[in-house]
Structure formats: structure tokens, C-alpha cells
């Protein structure tokens, strides 16, 4: 309540922003606050991460207290784009912007999110704790440097159909996260999200070195992991793919693949660590592709199905089924 009084975001007429919602997570008004650390001792940042509150949650040395800070809805999708509350201007480190409608100055909510995440990072990282956020990187890139783990809720089963994220969207997130983890929560109707779709989901996540999991169609009720019929159905998929996601994820994604090249635009290859590579057919149809060993490896263990791939004269030709991933561990280079 004090934070609402101290740093509420306001429209151009001086009225506090609030959105009336009837959702499982808010049945009432979602008020918009300016959570930048500079908003003072009664602001939102101080209410959550002020010195007294922070000291109680991070007492002693790790593993005492919290492991770190988790920022939900980090790109503030229910928040108005601009804060016109002039009382909040002085509390910002980042520049103001202006309305394209009438040129009135204001604070862009992206800078509020940036300053909040950066402020939390500055407090927890010196203690060896971690920062995690949901719903990023999406529209904004600038939270990534201050986060150790990123991810998003998503729905790849809209209207009972397979509707995955595109290669461009996945590479955007992968590139911004670098070698850091990126985690998914699948928010869909699990009665229509079949075993075959769950396997496609896990394979696509593995191709980019990301971590797949499941949540709820409405982000509240009928949780996937509360229903044994769902998770027992998919248990073989978790046992098969999650260890591989961990293996390549911990090796760390490399922005330039110096291990393996594909001669087909439909088949992508990504490098993880010094000796792991994923090979993934983006198309729905089988593709015959020739892979070139760039670092001189003559053999590789294929970890999804088992077996050895041999590169004759540095090349290996294989037919890859639609939307299917292989994981290679290249022998000594």
C-alpha cells in the first residue's frame, strides 16, 4: 500500500494505471508501479528488496536463506507502456522517453524492468546467489546480462494443433542467453497435447540446448504435474531427452559452430562445448543431408538413438525424419 502511494505509475491525466482483471492470479485490479530502486524507501523495490527485508532472506552464507531472486512476468505485459508520473522521473537512472501521441515525457516500462532486475542483481550476485526471470528474452534484450536463468511460458498446442516457436524466435532467445539456461513451461490443454506432440516439443528444445517442462493451460489450475495420467504418459520422454538437454546445456551453447556444417537449409546444427553438436530437421518431411566435420573428427557417438556416425573424407550423409533431433559427441579432434 505504501508503494502504491509512493510510486504508482500514472497516465497523462495523473490517474494511477490499473487493469481490471478476472483471472486465476488476479481477480481485481492489477496496479502498475514503478519498481526502479531509485523510487525511495517506500517504493516497490524497497518493499521487496530493501535492506531489512533483504537481510532476513539472505542471512548467513549460502545455502542459508534464499538461493536468489525470481522475477515473474519480467517484461511487464500487464503494465502500461509509459509512466507519466513526474514524481517518479527523478528516481530513474535511465533516460526518459516521450509519447508518440503528444510528445509528453514519460518513463518507458522497459527501463523500469531493467532497473529493477539490475538492482536485484547488484544485491544478490555479490553473495553468490542467482537471478532468474520468466517471460524473457522476448520483446526486450536488455535484461539478459543481469539474469543467470531465463525462460518463458508458451503454448505449442493451440486449438489442439502443433504450433511450435519458429527457428528465428528460438535463435533470438538462444543468442541472448548465450551459454545460460533457457527454460520452457508448456501452457496448453494437455488432453489434446499428445504424446507425439510432447516428443516433438522435447526434441525441438534439445536441438537448441533448452529445457522443456509443463505447467497449466491457464497458468493456475489443472497443473500437469498434479495429474499422473499426463506425466506417467510422458515419463519415457523425460527419461530419454532430459539427460541430453542437461548434457548439452551444461556444455554451453557456442555462437559459432566450428564442429559441424549442414548442406541443407532445413537442417540446422548447433555447437555445445567443445565436442557436442545437435542436428535438427526443421521441416515436417524427411531430408537427406550431408554433414561436414569442420574440426577433423572422423567419428561421433549419436546419443539419442545410440550408434556411431563415421565421417568419410570429413562427410557423413544421413536421412533425418521431419522435426527430429540427433545429438553428436565428436571423438577426439
Amino acid at each position: 500500500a505504501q508503494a502504491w502511494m509512493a510510486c504508482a505509475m500514472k497516465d497523462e491525466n495523473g490517474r494511477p494505471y490499473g487493469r481490471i482483471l478476472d483471472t486465476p492470479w488476479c481477480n481485481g485490479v492489477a496496479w502498475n508501479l514503478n519498481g526502479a530502486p531509485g523510487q525511495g524507501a517506500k517504493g516497490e523495490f524497497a518493499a521487496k528488496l530493501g535492506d531489512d527485508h533483504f537481510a532476513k532472506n539472505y542471512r548467513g552464507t549460502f545455502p542459508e536463506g534464499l538461493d536468489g531472486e525470481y522475477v515473474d512476468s519480467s517484461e511487464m505485459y500487464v503494465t502500461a507502456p509509459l509512466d507519466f508520473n513526474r514524481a517518479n522521473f527523478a528516481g530513474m537512472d535511465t533516460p526518459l522517453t516521450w509519447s508518440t501521441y503528444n510528445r509528453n515525457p514519460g518513463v518507458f516500462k522497459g527501463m523500469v524492468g531493467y532497473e529493477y532486475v539490475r538492482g536485484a542483481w547488484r544485491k544478490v550476485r555479490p553473495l553468490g546467489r542467482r537471478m532468474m526471470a520468466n517471460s524473457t528474452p522476448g520483446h526486450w534484450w536488455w535484461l539478459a546480462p543481469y539474469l543467470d536463468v531465463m525462460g518463458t511460458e508458451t503454448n505449442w498446442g493451440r486449438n489442439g494443433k502443433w504450433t511450435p516457436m519458429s527457428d528465428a524466435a528460438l535463435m533470438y532467445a538462444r543468442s541472448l542467453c548465450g551459454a545460460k539456461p533457457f527454460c520452457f513451461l508448456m501452457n496448453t490443454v494437455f488432453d489434446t497435447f499428445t504424446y507425439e506432440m510432447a516428443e516433438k516439443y522435447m526434441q525441438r528444445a534439445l536441438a537448441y540446448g533448452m529445457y522443456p517442462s509443463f505447467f497449466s493451460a491457464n497458468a493456475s489450475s489443472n497443473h500437469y504435474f498434479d495429474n499422473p495420467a499426463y506425466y506417467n504418459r510422458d515419463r519415457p520422454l523425460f527419461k530419454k531427452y532430459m539427460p541430453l538437454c542437461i548434457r548439452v546445456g551444461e556444455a554451453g551453447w557456442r555462437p559459432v559452430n566450428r564442429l559441424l556444417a549442414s548442406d541443407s537449409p532445413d537442417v540446422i546444427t548447433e555447437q555445445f562445448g567443445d565436442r557436442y553438436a545437435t542436428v535438427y530437421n526443421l521441416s515436417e518431411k524427411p531430408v537427406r543431408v550431408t554433414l561436414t566435420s569442420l574440426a577433423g573428427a572422423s567419428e561421433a557417438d549419436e546419443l539419442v538413438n545410440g550408434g556411431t556416425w563415421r565421417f568419410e573424407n570429413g562427410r557423413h550423409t544421413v536421412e533425418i525424419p521431419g522435426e527430429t533431433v540427433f545429438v553428436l559427441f565428436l571423438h577426439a579432434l
Side-chain angles (χ1 to χ4, degrees):
Q2 289 182 340
W4 184 84
M5 293 291 292
C7 64
M9 295 175 64
K10 295 182 179 180
D11 65 18
E12 292 168 293
N13 296 310
R15 296 172 299 199
Y17 281 119
R19 183 178 296 185
I20 299 173
L21 299 173
D22 182 5
T23 66
W25 49 270
C26 178
N27 185 7
V29 180
W31 294 108
N32 295 179
L33 305 184
N34 186 317
Q39 298 307 334
K42 293 184 178 181
E44 181 188 15
F45 187 88
K48 295 177 179 178
L49 289 161
D51 291 342
D52 291 343
H53 180 75
F54 188 82
K56 292 177 182 177
N57 286 329
Y58 291 91
R59 61 192 180 280
T61 57
F62 184 83
E64 293 183 82
L66 299 180
D67 294 340
E69 291 293 314
Y70 173 75
V71 184
D72 201 6
S73 301
S74 61
E75 295 193 5
M76 305 167 68
Y77 75 99
V78 295
T79 302
L82 292 176
D83 175 15
F84 296 101
N85 185 351
R86 287 178 173 265
N88 291 339
F89 290 4
M92 300 299 298
D93 283 341
T94 48
L96 303 179
T97 185
W98 61 88
S99 167
T100 56
Y101 175 68
N102 58 18
R103 303 298 191 267
N104 282 343
V107 177
F108 175 48
K109 69 176 180 178
M111 296 298 96
V112 173
Y114 169 79
E115 293 197 25
Y116 181 95
V117 169
R118 183 187 63 177
W121 178 84
R122 286 174 171 173
K123 300 196 76 162
V124 303
R125 290 301 272 126
L127 302 178
R129 315 301 171 91
R130 298 290 184 263
M131 289 289 299
M132 181 176 180
N134 184 20
S135 303
T136 197
H139 298 292
W140 310 339
W141 57 264
W142 49 80
L143 302 183
Y146 300 102
L147 295 167
D148 300 292
V149 181
M150 284 160 273
T152 192
E153 296 165 57
T154 190
N155 183 357
W156 295 7
R158 293 181 179 85
N159 301 315
K161 297 181 179 179
W162 173 240
T163 53
M165 288 172 64
S166 67
D167 172 61
L170 289 164
M171 283 308 302
Y172 171 82
R174 180 72 281 166
S175 299
L176 287 177
C177 291
K180 299 174 183 178
F182 185 83
C183 307
F184 284 114
L185 284 176
M186 188 59 62
N187 287 4
T188 194
V189 178
F190 299 117
D191 288 334
T192 58
F193 198 78
T194 65
Y195 181 90
E196 290 73 23
M197 292 165 73
E199 183 164 27
K200 284 185 177 183
Y201 166 46
M202 292 195 181
Q203 290 207 38
R204 200 173 187 93
L206 172 58
Y208 298 86
M210 298 174 175
Y211 296 88
S213 192
F214 299 82
F215 186 21
S216 160
N218 63 1
S220 179
S221 60
N222 194 27
H223 289 199
Y224 176 92
F225 286 106
D226 285 343
N227 192 326
Y230 298 145
Y231 61 73
N232 282 330
R233 180 200 66 182
D234 298 335
R235 186 180 297 273
L237 301 177
F238 281 99
K239 295 175 72 173
K240 181 176 183 178
Y241 293 108
M242 287 307 296
L244 295 174
C245 292
I246 294 169
R247 197 162 172 177
V248 300
E250 289 185 348
W253 178 76
R254 301 294 176 86
V256 178
N257 188 342
R258 294 186 170 91
L259 296 180
L260 204 63
S262 161
D263 69 351
S264 170
D266 291 324
V267 176
I268 62 169
T269 61
E270 296 297 332
Q271 178 179 341
F272 299 86
D274 296 324
R275 294 170 67 179
Y276 290 98
T278 59
V279 182
Y280 183 66
N281 181 0
L282 288 165
S283 72
E284 298 178 0
K285 298 180 180 180
V287 173
R288 189 168 180 82
V289 62
T290 296
L291 302 169
T292 300
S293 174
L294 301 176
S298 59
E299 293 185 342
D301 296 328
E302 200 291 296
L303 304 180
V304 177
N305 301 299
T308 301
W309 288 14
R310 291 179 173 82
F311 295 87
E312 303 292 341
N313 298 318
R315 290 177 172 79
H316 178 80
T317 300
V318 61
E319 183 172 282
I320 303 179
E323 297 184 276
T324 296
V325 70
F326 293 105
V327 178
L328 302 183
F329 178 73
L330 282 81
H331 292 187
L333 306 176

